[in-house]
Amino acid sequence: QESQASGLPEYIKIVEVGPRDGLQNEKVIVPTDIKIELINQLSKTGLPAIEVTSFVSAKWVPQMADHKEVMRGIERHPGVQYPVLTPNLQGFHSAIAAGATEVSVFGAASESFSKMNINCSIEESMIKFDEVAKSARNMNIPVRGYVSCALGCPYEGNIIPAKVAEVSKRLYSMGCYEISLGDTIGVGTPGSMKGMLEAVMKEIPLSALAVHCHDTYGQALANILTAIQMGVTVVDSSVAGLGGCPYAKGATGNVATEDVIYMLNGLGINTGVNLYRVMEAGNFICTALNKKTNSKVAQASFNTGATN
Amino acid sequence: RRARLTLSLCPQVSAAAAVGTFPKRVKVVEVGPRDGLQNEKNIVPTPVKINLINMLSETGLQVIEATSFVSPKWVPQMADHTEVMQGINKVPGISYPVLTPNLKGFQAAMAAGAKEVSIFGAASELFTRKNINCSIEESLERFNEVMAAARAATIPVRGYVSCVLGCPYEGKISPAKVAEVSKKMYSMGCYEISLGDTIGIGTPGSMKEMLTAVMKEVPVGALAVHCHDTYGQALANILVALQMGVSVVDASVAGLGGCPYAQGASGNVATEDLVYMLNGLGIHTGVDLQKLMDTGTYICNTLNRRTNSKVSQASCRL
């Protein structure tokens, strides 16, 4: 009742992107068995969705070269979704062959970013995604759509909310059940988050929206809180805050799942996730990567760090 | 309720309304030279402290907590309080409050040229006992002397309340207790009460609850929040405080100052990250973020440590 009285959602779905978005942005190539163990540990935390891997060419993303092995090697817990990225039809078919039952496509609200990242315009990328969406529909496979650079672009700078709304609408219309709005370089603040969501909510029902905030400027939790106050009920995060920012050397990237859950717990919002188990999974992967966690909750809770 | 009725008509209007309005201006109280340095392991040389404060004086900050007139036996870091106070450039229009735990400290502060002082209470009995070896009631009685002397000298006094969202010894702290201590300090004559989440354990939920209770006893215009980022919650907590009308926020350049209660954990929220958020919200602070970052870089280089400010980390072109 606590969350309801404050006008906040009762339940927030956390989409764990550590194994894909997180590891993809880690320098060290992670062995397949470590990836599988991480996902298996995350499957036991109560997380409802865990992004497993990306069926992208190994030439582009070496970290995800073992996508088939990972997909086939993980335990599949009932009630947990295991989406994978599929940038095109080829990746989609490969994913299905490997046993994937949900896929994601990645659009961007910035032409420059789209060109630099996937070497085509927004329009061209939408055509590719449409092919994936059509095949997916035929096979009853749900598709999640991501919109990058929703609050700013490393090349273009400011991104207008109307553009984010336009791209989101495009993805939603082609059949994506959910649109995850990504603050790719973490430049957003509660002010720009609010402006962007207001524009997007004109085109897409609130229940189909998610926020994917990066903590590069320390704004992620404040931005997530703003989104939740506006009625968003799906939040992406990464265990231990895995994944740096490729656009700002040494800076952080994804917001840490532990820190998000800590905040939601404090707000009386149900997530179904066991914070301690997430911290344990975070500790596992940080030890394996020989790196310090980016989660402040984990830092504060583990008095003696495994890796100082 | 009105929001729910309009939901079906215009979801984005009520959603935006849920985020609420913010103050147009926020006063940022810089606590790095005192609270920040006090919790740094290495003793910082006096010239460095003075340099730090002088650089901060160039950033547009209006309030910079300079030092603490406490016995060097208790806080060795602040042993040079007189030299610091006398050595800094006192820029007109900027306030340089100092901590004064008792009358002796107050008198030393006056002799050194201080024009504003702060006193520290707590919402937890156990914390007070462990920290200054007396009860909350006794600590407030000691402050009476300081208040009387300050009043006589027309020196403004700022009151701090520690452990407002949790205590390292007692755990949960009731909002009513925070309200009670805040009210006492306000009635004693403190012009402002800074509510401190000493161990950073609070979340927007507990912040809202606590402020609701305190605002029944102290006008919101006299309230400030002092959030620690130990659990990464500081900016979210500050956001909620702003939504509730609080317009004074404490922060520490480069996020100086670890947490003495959780080894290796961070403490104060970084002023740079706070100003970044306020800028994004269109809230006026008067602070030049670049100059602030430069100051943070200076003190971190000098202390040979990494910044705790994410804005600073992201902006580094190294």
Side-chain angles (χ1 to χ4, degrees), chain B:
Chain B
R1 255 148 233 135
R2 204 184 303 145
R4 279 210 200 100
L5 284 175
T6 56
L7 195 62
S8 53
L9 299 173
C10 199
Q12 59 268 34
V13 169
S14 59
V19 176
T21 52
F22 294 95
K24 292 208 164 49
R25 321 178 81 90
V26 161
K27 180 174 85 177
V28 176
V29 174
E30 173 59 47
V31 301
R34 203 283 307 166
D35 193 0
L37 294 185
Q38 186 167 313
N39 285 298
E40 289 289 319
K41 292 187 299 284
N42 301 317
I43 298 290
V44 179
T46 308
V48 173
K49 285 183 178 125
I50 290 172
N51 236 8
L52 171 64
I53 294 167
N54 288 346
M55 284 183 80
L56 288 167
S57 291
E58 300 293 307
T59 61
L61 285 161
Q62 295 174 282
V63 185
I64 302 164
E65 197 177 63
T67 187
S68 181
F69 282 79
V70 68
S71 161
K73 188 176 60 170
W74 293 120
V75 187
Q77 181 73 275
M78 299 285 128
D80 55 1
H81 39 64
T82 303
E83 292 89 332
V84 170
M85 201 63 216
Q86 288 175 340
I88 57 174
N89 284 342
K90 297 220 189 62
V91 175
I94 300 183
S95 187
Y96 300 92
V98 299
L99 249 70
T100 53
N102 48 39
L103 190 60
K104 182 167 163 218
F106 176 82
Q107 284 158 347
M110 292 302 106
K115 298 271 182 289
E116 180 175 328
V117 301
S118 309
I119 59 173
F120 250 85
S124 154
E125 287 290 352
L126 218 49
F127 186 84
T128 305
R129 201 149 280 286
K130 293 243 180 201
N131 231 29
I132 53 179
N133 204 24
C134 62
S135 70
I136 297 178
E137 189 61 42
E138 285 163 344
S139 75
L140 295 180
E141 263 167 39
R142 284 184 200 171
F143 292 138
N144 267 333
E145 292 185 310
V146 176
M147 298 308 303
R151 206 175 304 126
T154 53
I155 294 284
V157 183
R158 187 186 212 226
Y160 281 92
V161 182
S162 302
C163 298
V164 301
L165 297 179
C167 169
Y169 311 107
E170 281 186 23
K172 246 187 150 277
I173 295 291
S174 81
K177 189 70 184 176
V178 182
E180 181 194 319
V181 176
S182 304
K183 182 182 182 173
K184 278 213 175 84
M185 294 180 81
Y186 186 66
S187 313
M188 281 164 70
C190 292
Y191 76 92
E192 194 167 89
I193 306 295
S194 174
L195 304 162
D197 182 11
T198 306
I199 47 173
I201 214 162
T203 63
S206 55
M207 172 62 85
K208 185 169 176 205
E209 223 193 342
M210 183 274 296
L211 282 177
T212 303
V214 175
M215 281 162 60
K216 290 193 178 107
E217 309 292 349
V218 181
V220 72
L223 291 178
V225 289
H226 183 111
C227 296
H228 278 196
D229 203 37
T230 317
Y231 289 77
Q233 309 295 305
L235 286 188
N237 292 345
I238 289 166
L239 186 70
V240 162
L242 294 172
Q243 287 172 332
M244 292 179 74
V246 171
S247 61
V248 183
V249 182
D250 299 358
S252 175
V253 62
L256 288 178
C259 180
Y261 306 98
Q263 215 213 51
S266 60
N268 286 299
V269 69
T271 314
E272 298 92 316
D273 300 0
L274 169 67
V275 170
Y276 185 90
M277 182 173 81
L278 297 176
N279 284 352
L281 280 163
I283 294 174
H284 181 258
T285 61
V287 179
D288 181 322
L289 181 53
Q290 186 56 55
K291 286 191 180 156
L292 187 60
M293 287 199 289
D294 292 342
T295 308
T297 301
Y298 161 75
I299 192 64
C300 287
N301 284 346
T302 312
L303 292 179
N304 195 28
R305 57 157 284 170
R306 285 190 69 192
T307 181
N308 274 335
S309 156
K310 287 208 165 174
V311 169
S312 214
Q313 277 171 43
S315 309
C316 241
R317 298 268 169 265
L318 293 170

Side-chain angles (χ1 to χ4, degrees), chain A residues 106-252:
Chain A
F106 248 86
S110 154
E111 282 293 354
S112 311
F113 188 84
S114 193
K115 289 218 174 71
M116 297 289 280
N117 224 35
I118 52 178
N119 207 24
C120 60
S121 69
I122 297 178
E123 187 55 40
E124 285 163 344
S125 74
M126 292 296 138
I127 293 169
K128 284 192 196 155
F129 301 148
D130 204 31
E131 294 181 331
V132 173
K134 281 200 173 77
S135 292
R137 199 178 313 130
N138 287 340
M139 303 178 69
N140 265 335
I141 297 281
V143 183
R144 187 187 211 224
Y146 282 90
V147 181
S148 302
C149 298
L151 297 179
C153 169
Y155 312 107
E156 286 182 19
N158 226 351
I159 294 292
I160 60 168
K163 189 70 184 175
V164 183
E166 181 195 317
V167 176
S168 303
K169 183 176 182 177
R170 206 59 202 312
L171 288 169
Y172 189 67
S173 312
M174 70 171 72
C176 293
Y177 76 93
E178 194 167 270
I179 307 297
S180 174
L181 304 161
D183 182 12
T184 306
I185 47 171
V187 279
T189 63
S192 55
M193 172 62 84
K194 180 174 170 218
M196 184 274 293
L197 283 176
E198 276 171 344
V200 176
M201 280 160 62
K202 289 193 180 109
E203 309 291 348
I204 313 235
L206 204 42
S207 56
L209 291 178
V211 289
H212 183 112
C213 297
H214 278 197
D215 202 38
T216 319
Y217 289 77
Q219 309 295 306
L221 285 189
N223 292 344
I224 289 167
L225 181 64
T226 300
I228 292 173
Q229 286 176 339
M230 290 178 77
V232 169
T233 58
V234 185
V235 176
D236 299 358
S237 60
S238 174
V239 61
L242 287 177
C245 180
Y247 306 97
K249 203 182 126 118
T252 56

Side-chain angles (χ1 to χ4, degrees), chain A residues 25-68:
Chain A
N25 285 299
E26 288 290 327
K27 294 185 296 280
V28 178
I29 297 288
V30 179
T32 306
D33 59 337
I34 303 275
K35 286 183 178 125
I36 290 171
E37 176 59 25
L38 171 64
I39 294 164
N40 288 346
Q41 286 198 24
L42 291 168
S43 289
K44 299 186 176 111
T45 61
L47 283 162
I50 302 165
E51 198 176 64
V52 168
T53 187
S54 182
F55 281 78
V56 67
S57 158
K59 188 177 61 174
W60 294 119
V61 188
Q63 181 73 276
M64 299 284 127
D66 55 2
H67 39 67
K68 287 201 191 78

